[in-house]
Amino acid sequence: MFSNQRKTIGVFVESVLSEFPNRLCQGIISRAEEKGYNVAIFTPYGNYGENDLYFAGDNQLYQLPPYEDFAGVIVALDTMQEAESRDVLLGQIKKRCRCPVISIRELVEGADNFLVDNTTCMETVIRHFVEVHGFTRLCFMSGPESHWDAVERMACFKRLMQEYGLSVGEHQVFYGDYWKNKGKEACDWFFEGQEMPQAIICANDYMATAVASELIGRGIRIPQEICVSGYDGMNDALNFTPSITTVNVPFYEMGKRAVEIIDEKQENPGENKNYYFDTQLKVRESCGCLKEGGKEVVKIRRDWHEEAKVNQNRQLQFHFLSIHLSGCHTIDEMSEYLYQYIFNIEGLRDYCVCFCEDLKSREDFSDYSDTMEMRIAIRNLVNMGRINIPFERKELLPPEMTDETPQIWYFTPLHFQNQTFGYEATRFLTPEVTGNLYLYWNIIISSKVQDALIYYRMQNLIGELENLYDRDSLTGMYNRRGLENHGGKLFEEAHQKGCPLFLAIIDLDGMKQINDNHGHVEGDYALKMVCKAISEACAKESIQARSGGDEFVVIANGIDESEGAAWMEKMEAVLDGMNQRGEKNYEIHASYGYVCRVPGEEDSMETYIKESDDMMYKNKIENKKRRNEPLR
């Protein structure tokens, strides 16, 4: 994998730009580089917009990795929005992996599990509200009722409330979604109780910010009237105003330790274990206890403000990228524009786009091809230009993008709805500036690839329509319209350059007799045989056309009369050979006439055709006499 001899750790997270997976990956990368491992991070974007077709295409990324070749696998299942994603990934891991597997924050059978003790994790914040603030009316916003860690955190809350002799009424508990969608519902539920809560404790930071936002919208002051707390220690909670009291989870340390355990298990697999990590209470403005966290809050808010300005400019730049790409019709044309705008992705070192083999002709878009093609690449911040480098899918990247140092790459899917095109691969300069992947950038490229494929198919259809427009359906030769379009150009060229123009009229002899005596199918066969004889006798550079029912025209410039006469004689010889084989109970003959000279000022295509036609009819009469056929 990666065309070097190093072992590779596979990492599976969703939406890596989010804080938890980003910090986890930074820890993984930091320790993996120290120990000499490659890292391949597979990070789809999830079911944005609840679009089932898009989600199916996004999920396809889990079919890409060579699971059998990993030295270890790290999964963060709780970053994945949909149960289907988790099921697909776990199915691949259990079926194909032969290496240590580490699950972050979720119990997985057959894996080493990195957990926080949910039976005690909420203790510090609950004790803080009871012992420091003297609160007795506490409400708890849990995660989904069926989720195992939500069940354990709820049990922790109820146990502590019982220990302090505090009641837990119906409207003191609400089951949320671990996301930001149920802040209003939670507040409505809590406020239906007999008394206004003094504090709302949330099982994660996303729900805490949603609740805090809803309270502020209702004119309730935090922390003066109600305190709020979260869990996870996300910067979202720190940046919120007021900053949210929370419990820090050591994601970075989890990432580092995961690599260490994988490394230890290379020689001594041992039994699977559950590892528990300590959390730390971070008191902030939402409970009125800023303490030493003040400097941290100020710094984070300053950084957030600067990042907001950068993000605003980045969004604008991506809009301009979309505008520029709208003028591209092929994948090759995209490279230069991507190179211009990719520097908006901070910390970037290398970047490439790998497509399924022969994407333009591909009919099945449900999986990645065994051979992939790198078509766009930026190596060490230098654009490699228009390329097409094939490589084996199991290598993930061609040798041109890798070296002998530990390779750290992020892989994101490229697809339009459920049609799989390939994937992006991105490498960053350092672990500290990593995971800066943007859905908007990805969608722009995926949509442009779809446009390019549609353009290619449209051009093919136009070509087919043009063929139908100026081609004879029976013989495949040009028809009269094609003769006028293409033959006329040869005439003008011969006239301008002063070179000879050869024009021959060829007519199938006895067409009516063949149709009358043997049927129209045989008549069509005779026409195709004359077409075949013309094609074998005349050079490919000539224009060959069926100009009427049984009449053909050949045009060429730059040849002398002897060459043109030789063509016609060879045509007759080909027909004679067909007749001698006796495949039909009738013979196929053709008469011809031709003109070969430099076009004069008075000449036109019509004059050449008339002269050749007159000669053809004279030859037809002579041929009938020679074959003792009736002159009619």
Side-chain angles (χ1 to χ4, degrees), residues 305-595:
H305 176 72
E306 295 300 317
E307 180 64 18
K309 292 192 294 184
V310 171
N311 282 335
Q312 186 178 20
N313 178 66
R314 183 184 296 115
Q315 289 290 94
L316 183 62
Q317 292 296 314
F318 287 176
H319 282 306
F320 285 126
L321 169 64
S322 181
I323 292 169
H324 276 118
L325 288 180
S326 66
C328 297
H329 295 307
T330 67
I331 289 171
D332 287 337
E333 293 173 344
M334 296 170 58
S335 174
E336 188 58 38
Y337 290 119
L338 293 183
Y339 178 68
Q340 291 177 27
Y341 286 94
I342 200 168
F343 297 99
N344 288 284
I345 299 177
E346 59 270 56
L348 182 83
R349 173 178 170 177
D350 302 315
Y351 170 84
C352 66
V353 182
C354 303
F355 291 104
C356 295
E357 184 180 29
D358 198 16
L359 188 64
K360 292 190 296 187
S361 304
R362 192 169 171 83
E363 294 183 359
D364 182 8
F365 288 90
S366 63
D367 195 4
Y368 299 95
S369 55
D370 292 334
T371 298
M372 303 296 293
E373 297 174 344
M374 185 172 74
R375 299 287 302 278
I376 297 170
I378 294 165
R379 180 79 165 122
N380 293 321
L381 302 181
V382 176
N383 187 10
M384 293 177 66
R386 297 189 178 189
I387 55 173
N388 189 344
I389 301 175
F391 62 95
E392 290 187 56
R393 163 180 165 181
K394 66 179 182 179
E395 290 297 325
L396 295 177
L397 292 171
E400 287 80 357
M401 290 301 289
T402 62
D403 54 43
E404 294 306 311
T405 63
Q407 299 296 292
I408 313 295
W409 287 89
Y410 287 80
F411 296 90
T412 48
L414 277 180
H415 61 98
F416 184 83
Q417 299 288 52
N418 61 342
Q419 298 180 75
T420 299
F421 299 150
Y423 52 87
E424 295 178 281
T426 310
R427 188 182 183 191
F428 296 92
L429 290 168
T430 66
E432 290 72 32
V433 286
T434 194
N436 297 313
L437 305 174
Y438 299 95
L439 177 61
Y440 187 27
W441 169 276
N442 181 274
I443 288 175
I444 289 171
I445 297 173
S446 297
S447 298
K448 187 65 248 178
V449 173
Q450 171 72 354
D451 291 345
L453 292 177
I454 291 174
Y455 180 81
Y456 172 77
R457 291 166 189 152
M458 287 181 62
Q459 292 303 110
N460 281 348
L461 287 173
I462 290 171
E464 291 175 10
L465 289 172
E466 287 178 344
N467 278 338
L468 291 173
Y469 183 75
D470 62 9
R471 291 280 180 176
D472 173 52
S473 59
L474 178 66
T475 63
M477 282 182 161
Y478 285 117
N479 56 24
R480 181 176 291 278
R481 188 178 292 108
L483 173 65
E484 291 172 354
N485 291 337
H486 299 278
K489 294 176 183 177
L490 281 187
F491 182 88
E492 290 300 324
E493 183 180 319
H495 184 267
Q496 291 174 8
K497 293 183 178 180
C499 63
L501 179 79
F502 172 81
L503 188 148
I505 300 290
I506 302 158
D507 194 84
L508 171 62
D509 291 340
M511 175 71 172
K512 185 175 186 306
Q513 286 73 26
I514 295 174
N515 280 334
D516 290 348
N517 298 328
H518 303 282
H520 287 277
V521 172
E522 293 300 319
D524 289 345
Y525 174 81
L527 287 169
K528 287 188 280 189
M529 291 304 101
V530 173
C531 170
K532 182 179 179 182
I534 293 171
S535 297
E536 290 185 21
C538 302
K540 292 182 179 179
E541 292 75 18
S542 62
I543 298 296
Q544 303 164 19
R546 181 187 175 197
S547 58
D550 56 3
E551 187 173 88
F552 300 85
V553 178
V554 175
I555 307 175
N557 59 17
I559 68 169
D560 58 31
E561 187 169 349
S562 62
E563 289 178 280
W567 287 0
M568 296 298 98
E569 290 170 4
K570 184 176 179 180
M571 178 197 70
E572 286 189 314
V574 172
L575 289 175
D576 288 342
M578 294 178 184
N579 293 329
Q580 289 171 11
R581 288 194 292 272
E583 295 175 356
K584 298 291 182 180
N585 56 358
Y586 57 87
E587 292 188 347
I588 302 172
H589 298 285
S591 299
Y592 61 84
Y594 62 84
V595 174

Side-chain angles (χ1 to χ4, degrees), residues 505 551 593 608-618:
I505 300 290
E551 187 173 88
Y608 271 66
I609 290 173
K610 185 178 186 311
E611 290 180 33
S612 301
D613 206 38
D614 290 344
M615 182 185 295
M616 182 272 292
Y617 275 110
K618 291 178 182 179

